[in-house]
């Protein structure tokens, strides 16, 4: 465990955004070497995650791991804005946070047109049956996802049945 807070995430996001802009201006001069950012087990709130979300697309991130933080649905909403046209992101891990089905439905809508995300880990949150239906909606529209972890989310029969169709 570290102690990277929202302020620290803001600095990381700023650095990634700057590198992303430099790479866009001259791809041969600035290699996209940093692909995976792991922010897990830090006191990052939905506000910090929202700040970080803006840098994900411009910096060519392939892995965003923010498990065991304090992210709420609002952070996921801000993150979702950057998903539809993202061509680089492969893995999203927001497990063990404070997320509900409301945030997952926003992600479901954003992922309809995304062709890069292959893995979503949203286990150990609070998505319930409605979240199970959101997962079913994501998988119905997006055939590029290969792994979707929803363990420990209080999904009952009403949430599982749509997943089985």
């Amino acid at each position: 465990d570290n102690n990277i807070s929202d302020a620290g995430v803001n600095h990381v996001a700023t650095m990634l955004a700057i590198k992303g802009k430099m790479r866009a201006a001259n791809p041969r001069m600035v290699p996209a070497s940093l692909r995976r950012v792991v922010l897990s087990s830090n006191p990052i709130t939905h506000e910090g995650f929202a700040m970080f979300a803006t840098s994900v697309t411009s910096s060519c991130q392939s892995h965003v791991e923010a498990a065991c933080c304090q992210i709420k649905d609002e952070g996921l909403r801000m993150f979702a804005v950057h998903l539809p046209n993202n061509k680089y992101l492969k893995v999203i891990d927001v497990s063990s946070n404070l997320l509900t089905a409301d945030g997952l439905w926003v992600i479901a809508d954003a992922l309809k047109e995304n062709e890069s995300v292959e893995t979503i880990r949203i286990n150990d949150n609070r998505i319930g049956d409605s979240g199970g239906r959101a997962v079913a909606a994501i998988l119905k529209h997006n055939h590029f996802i290969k792994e979707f972890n929803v363990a420990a989310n209080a999904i009952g029969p009403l949430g599982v049945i749509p997943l089985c169709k």
Side-chain angles (χ1 to χ4, degrees):
D1 292 353
N2 292 312
N3 197 22
I4 299 172
S5 65
D6 289 348
V9 170
N10 190 30
H11 290 295
V12 171
T14 301
M15 180 269 303
L16 290 173
I18 290 169
K19 286 194 174 232
K21 287 177 185 173
M22 289 170 48
R23 177 165 167 61
N26 196 342
R28 293 183 188 162
M29 296 293 289
V30 183
S33 57
L34 181 63
R35 298 284 189 181
R36 181 177 178 187
V37 176
V38 180
L39 299 169
S40 300
S41 298
N42 283 293
I44 301 164
T45 69
H46 59 284
E47 294 169 352
F49 193 62
M51 286 185 269
F52 176 72
T54 60
S55 68
V56 170
T57 299
S58 66
S59 62
C60 306
Q61 294 302 298
S62 65
H63 289 64
V64 172
E65 299 178 38
C68 302
C69 296
Q70 299 165 14
I71 300 167
K72 295 181 182 176
D73 293 337
E74 186 57 35
L76 212 52
R77 278 186 196 92
M78 296 299 292
F79 187 75
V81 169
H82 304 280
L83 287 177
N85 299 313
N86 189 309
K87 294 179 175 91
Y88 304 102
L89 192 60
K90 302 273 185 213
V91 177
I92 302 169
D93 185 350
V94 288
S95 53
S96 300
N97 278 289
L98 305 169
L99 304 171
T100 70
D102 291 343
L104 193 53
W105 277 106
V106 173
I107 290 289
D109 191 47
L111 286 174
K112 283 180 183 175
E113 303 195 19
N114 180 286
E115 297 181 1
S116 67
V117 174
E118 298 175 351
T119 301
I120 300 173
R121 297 183 190 117
I122 195 160
N123 49 295
D124 195 27
N125 278 286
R126 307 170 184 172
I127 67 169
D129 287 339
S130 180
R133 291 189 294 275
V135 172
I138 291 170
L139 296 175
K140 179 181 178 182
H141 295 287
N142 187 318
H143 302 285
F144 298 95
I145 296 173
K146 298 174 182 168
E147 176 190 341
F148 209 127
N149 187 338
V150 294
N153 267 299
I155 299 173
L158 295 176
V160 171
I161 292 170
L163 287 170
C164 296
K165 291 184 178 183

